[in-house]
């Protein structure tokens, strides 16, 4: 035994999804350093090497964990087929390594939890004269595995919480990107916009507030209109890509021909101003990609103020951009 012929076993055992003490137990099993009667008899002449539970001639570790009638019954209750527990091996590590080649990480962790409980049951018999029924041993091992998974959330959730946030993306070559957003308060709204070139450099932006009770879509229309005004003030006339994180506004923009609502009319007023650009597109983006415009509109709403800036923009905008 050692790190040569069983290197895959030693590498795999520390990746088991189980309690640290059961990983250590697996390591001890691999080295066969647990004090079975056969092990003790090798270093203490005259010591009875037989199995204290079933009377087998020699209690090896493989016998204690797998072949002793109580241990075998526990494994059978756990659903382990005879093909897993009947093949002959010289050492316990050979048996476990073969199982690692056919079992996944979770199943192997469950098996080692069962064997750990079997070993504890064997010790209880020797030192306390008490041996539990196989069904109880298996249930204790099963509950331990389930509780460990619940506490450590080993099962992946249906919707992962580790979704990476997307970042703002530079516009296509020859385009200017204009991000805008609106924040709705109880009796006023705030709006904000930031304009960047194809290299991602900020060339201007601004924001403000408007008194009154407006819906989210109405507020987004105001932000859309004001972003066009900021672009006009900066004398931007290139190809322009507008971005918002409001999907409803983009859907209305894409179906303007069939939209006869007041919101639709306001969007049409905005598109009428597109004549100052070579071309203009409105598209949706995620909130994480629109964070600078969102920062501006929230500040305008909170401070009830207006602002306009060119390439010499405020430090808080610089921090958000970088």
């Amino acid at each position: 035994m050692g790190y040569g012929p069983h290197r895959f076993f030693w590498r795999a055992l520390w990746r088991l999804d189980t309690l640290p003490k059961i990983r250590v137990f697996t390591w001890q099993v691999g080295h066969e350093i647990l004090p079975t009667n056969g092990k003790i008899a090798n270093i203490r002449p005259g010591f009875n090497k037989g199995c204290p539970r079933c009377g087998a001639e020699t209690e090896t570790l493989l016998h204690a964990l797998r072949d002793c009638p109580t241990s075998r019954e526990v494994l059978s209750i756990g659903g382990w087929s005879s093909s897993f527990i009947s093949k002959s091996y010289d050492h316990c590590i050979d048996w476990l390594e073969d199982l690692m080649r056919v079992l996944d990480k979770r199943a192997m962790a469950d098996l080692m939890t069962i064997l750990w409980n079997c070993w504890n049951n064997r010790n209880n018999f020797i030192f306390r004269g008490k041996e539990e029924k196989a069904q109880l041993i298996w249930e204790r091992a099963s509950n331990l595995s389930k509780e460990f998974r619940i506490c450590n959330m080993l099962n992946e959730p249906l919707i992962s919480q580790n979704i990476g946030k997307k970042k703002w993306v530079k516009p296509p070559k020859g385009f200017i990107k204009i991000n805008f957003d609106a924040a709705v308060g109880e009796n006023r709204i705030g709006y904000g916009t930031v304009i960047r070139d194809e290299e991602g450099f900020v060339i201007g932006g601004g924001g403000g507030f408007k008194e009154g009770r407006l819906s989210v879509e109405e507020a987004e229309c105001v932000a859309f209109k004001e972003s066009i005004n900021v672009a006009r003030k900066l004398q931007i006339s290139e190809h322009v890509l507008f971005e918002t994180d409001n999907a409803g506004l983009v859907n209305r923009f894409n179906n303007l021909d069939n939209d006869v609502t007041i919101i639709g009319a306001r969007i049409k007023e905005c598109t009428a101003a597109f004549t100052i650009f070579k071309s203009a597109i409105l598209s949706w983006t995620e909130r994480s990609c629109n964070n600078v415009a969102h920062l501006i509109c929230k500040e305008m709403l909170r401070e009830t103020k207006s602002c306009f800036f060119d390439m010499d923009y405020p430090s808080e905008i610089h921090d958000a951009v970088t």
Side-chain angles (χ1 to χ4, degrees):
M1 293 183 294
Y3 286 90
H6 300 291
R7 60 187 181 278
F8 297 111
F9 173 85
W10 301 118
R11 192 181 304 165
L13 78 89
W14 301 114
R15 297 201 299 267
L16 292 177
D17 291 330
T18 188
L19 293 166
K21 62 183 178 182
I22 295 179
R23 292 197 198 103
V24 172
F25 169 75
T26 307
W27 179 85
Q28 292 172 325
V29 170
H31 282 291
E32 294 203 14
I33 58 176
L34 294 172
T36 60
N37 282 2
K39 191 77 172 178
I40 296 173
N42 286 335
I43 57 177
R44 280 186 59 185
F47 190 86
N48 182 11
K49 65 178 181 179
C51 177
R53 293 183 290 172
C54 69
E57 182 180 354
T58 303
E59 187 198 35
T60 63
L61 186 57
L62 191 60
H63 173 85
L65 298 180
R66 190 193 73 169
D67 296 335
C68 194
T70 303
S71 297
R72 181 154 294 210
E73 186 179 354
V74 174
L75 291 170
S76 297
I77 293 173
W80 297 94
S81 66
S82 59
S83 62
F84 284 130
I85 57 181
S86 60
K87 190 176 178 180
S88 178
Y89 294 93
D90 291 330
H91 300 285
C92 212
I93 190 173
D94 297 318
W95 174 51
L96 295 180
E97 190 170 48
D98 271 1
L99 290 178
M100 283 183 173
R101 298 182 191 279
V102 295
L103 299 178
D104 61 23
K105 190 161 56 173
R106 175 173 175 172
M108 193 67 200
D110 287 343
L111 173 63
M112 295 313 303
T113 303
I114 292 173
L115 297 182
W116 180 76
N117 278 271
C118 287
W119 178 252
N120 287 341
N121 177 67
R122 177 260 185 198
N123 290 339
N124 285 335
F125 178 82
I126 291 176
F127 298 110
R128 300 179 183 177
K130 179 182 177 182
E131 185 173 30
E132 294 177 329
K133 293 183 178 180
Q135 181 69 35
L136 184 60
I137 299 170
W138 179 82
E139 288 177 356
R140 182 178 289 112
S142 178
N143 290 335
L144 182 61
S145 294
K146 289 178 182 177
E147 289 171 2
F148 174 78
R149 290 194 177 94
I150 291 172
C151 291
N152 291 274
M153 298 296 288
L154 290 178
N155 295 321
E156 286 292 326
L158 291 175
I159 300 177
S160 175
Q161 298 181 14
N162 298 321
I163 300 175
K165 287 186 177 181
K166 292 186 177 180
K167 296 183 178 181
W168 182 87
V169 178
K170 296 177 183 178
K173 188 173 180 61
F175 274 77
I176 300 294
K177 182 176 281 191
I178 302 177
N179 289 83
F180 64 90
D181 198 10
V184 179
E186 187 174 350
N187 291 304
R188 72 173 63 92
I189 67 159
Y191 53 86
T193 185
V194 61
I195 304 175
R196 285 174 275 198
D197 63 17
E198 62 186 31
E199 297 298 328
F201 294 113
V202 175
I203 57 179
F209 71 97
K210 184 175 182 179
E211 299 288 353
R213 298 176 66 90
L214 278 73
S215 68
V216 173
E217 283 192 322
E218 288 173 327
E220 291 289 345
C221 283
V222 172
F224 189 16
K225 180 180 179 180
E226 293 300 329
S227 68
I228 296 172
N229 290 336
V230 172
R232 182 185 286 113
K233 194 171 183 179
L234 291 168
Q235 298 182 345
I236 293 173
S237 59
E238 293 92 332
H239 299 285
V240 172
L241 173 60
F242 288 90
E243 274 192 347
T244 175
D245 56 46
N246 187 281
L249 185 69
V250 176
N251 288 336
R252 286 183 178 275
F253 176 84
N254 292 331
N255 294 280
L256 274 181
D257 293 340
N258 302 318
D259 195 335
V260 294
T261 64
I262 295 176
I263 298 295
R266 291 179 178 175
I267 296 174
K268 289 176 182 178
E269 290 177 5
C270 293
T271 58
F274 281 0
T275 54
I276 65 174
F277 309 119
K278 290 181 179 179
S279 68
I281 305 169
L282 175 64
S283 63
W284 176 86
T285 189
E286 295 190 24
R287 167 58 62 84
S288 59
C289 303
N290 205 33
N291 63 323
V292 179
H294 183 69
L295 174 70
I296 297 172
C297 71
K298 293 288 285 187
E299 183 178 353
M300 298 302 105
L301 175 64
R302 183 176 61 253
E303 303 293 337
T304 59
K305 66 179 184 180
S306 298
C307 73
F308 171 80
F309 55 87
D310 50 22
M311 296 181 69
D312 185 19
Y313 48 92
S315 59
E316 58 266 27
I317 303 298
H318 180 273
D319 293 339
V321 169
T322 56

